[in-house]
Amino acid sequence: MADSPTMTYGGYLRLDDLLSCQEPKTRAHDELLFVIIHQVYELWFKQILHEAALLQSRLEEGNSAGSLHTARRIAKILKTVVGQLDVLETMTPRQFAAFRDALGNSSGFQSEQFREIEAVLGRRSFPASDLRGDERLQAAVSRPSVFDSLLRYLAGRGHPVPREALERDLLRPWEPDPGVQQVLLAVYADETGPAAEVCEALVDMDEGIQEWRYRHLKMVERTIGAKIGTGGSAGADYLRSTLFAPAFPDLWEVRSQTGEAPLHGG
Ligand code: HEM
């Protein structure tokens, strides 16, 4: 590293830039917290997308240990960002009301990185207005999702993944598939095997996103009650409609089809 002697902490991290990006629009004390927490979220979203790309390439290479490591890291990041909502929940409705008008129509609704994460995890049903002008989102909906990469990983390990599932139209939403569920049941029959552990780490990721949606909704309810959102949605009612929709439905469905483990020695 030729320039390392002149490298400084602040220079390496570009702290002058980073710490000049917080510009509250009012003098309300709590607005800085609101800005910082959203910025921190966007940084974690960037990291999740970075890790998800690695996860997909590791799955497609058949690298079980690497996939497991990366999927677990993503799940831990999700736990961390869910935990951060505790900080924002110390802001009372009146404290938020002191600067809410200054937000105009801006809203987490417009988070391009959040939409990209949804697409990487498999969402395809975006309004045309979201896709227009967002090249990264357009690219993400045309690529295999994390679940598509899991299917390729399982096929590479010799599991009989149905060909239609492997060759599906990537632009369409995934439909839960009984043939794929049979494969997953067979994978889980060896429940501590590498493939089953990878599947479980994907369930952790899926649960992490659902947990975030639930905690975000509760925070919204306690901060703005039933008011409409700054992004123009019905607010909490809209957010409630996004709950409990798994990214990887087949991994949940097989839970209902799983029998008992054989007794030891029997
Ligand atoms: C006081 C704090 C917050 C309130 C009152 C709030 C409120 C809302 C509301 C009402 C919506 C629905 C869309 C709309 O009409 O605006 C929404 C969506 C969203 N918010 Fe928040 N939010 C808060 C904090 C956060 C934080 C810290 C994040 C982190 C990035 C975030 C990310 C999002 C995302 C990604 C959506 C889109 C969800 C979806 O469409 O499924 N919000 N928020």
Side-chain angles (χ1 to χ4, degrees), residues 9 44 50 82 99 120 122 143 167 171 179 200 202 206 212 250 257:
Y9 174 77
W44 279 127
H50 186 59
V82 169
F99 63 89
V120 167
R143 281 197 306 266
E167 293 174 0
L171 286 164
E200 282 307 272
L202 261 54
D206 195 344
W212 181 82
D250 306 79
Q257 302 170 21

Side-chain angles (χ1 to χ4, degrees), residues 13-140:
L13 297 174
R14 302 201 32 206
L15 291 184
D16 281 350
D17 291 332
L18 184 66
L19 299 177
S20 60
C21 291
Q22 294 71 43
E23 289 185 358
K25 300 285 177 238
T26 69
R27 293 167 58 85
H29 174 85
D30 294 84
E31 194 182 348
L32 182 63
L33 172 65
F34 187 80
V35 169
I36 286 183
I37 203 143
H38 281 86
Q39 290 182 340
V40 168
Y41 259 95
E42 290 293 335
L43 290 172
W44 279 127
F45 289 164
K46 182 172 182 171
Q47 188 67 31
I48 289 174
L49 288 165
H50 186 59
E51 300 293 350
L54 180 64
L55 170 62
Q56 290 195 262
S57 64
R58 287 181 160 175
L59 284 169
E60 302 204 6
E61 284 161 8
N63 176 349
S64 301
S67 303
L68 189 58
H69 185 262
T70 305
R72 284 182 174 159
R73 178 178 290 174
I74 294 172
K76 295 264 190 225
I77 295 173
L78 289 167
K79 287 262 178 229
T80 300
V81 297
V82 169
Q84 288 177 19
L85 292 179
D86 290 346
V87 185
L88 201 49
E89 280 185 343
T90 62
M91 181 176 70
T92 68
R94 287 168 63 88
Q95 287 168 341
F96 184 46
F99 63 89
R100 190 178 190 225
D101 284 349
L103 304 178
N105 293 327
S106 67
S107 158
F109 225 20
Q110 297 153 350
S111 168
E112 294 186 356
Q113 292 199 106
F114 184 77
R115 295 292 174 232
E116 192 178 340
I117 291 172
E118 290 186 307
V120 167
L121 294 178
R123 180 173 169 191
R124 293 294 179 266
S125 56
F126 292 100
S129 55
D130 275 6
L131 289 164
R132 250 194 320 273
D134 186 344
E135 284 171 18
R136 288 182 59 121
L137 189 61
Q138 275 177 31

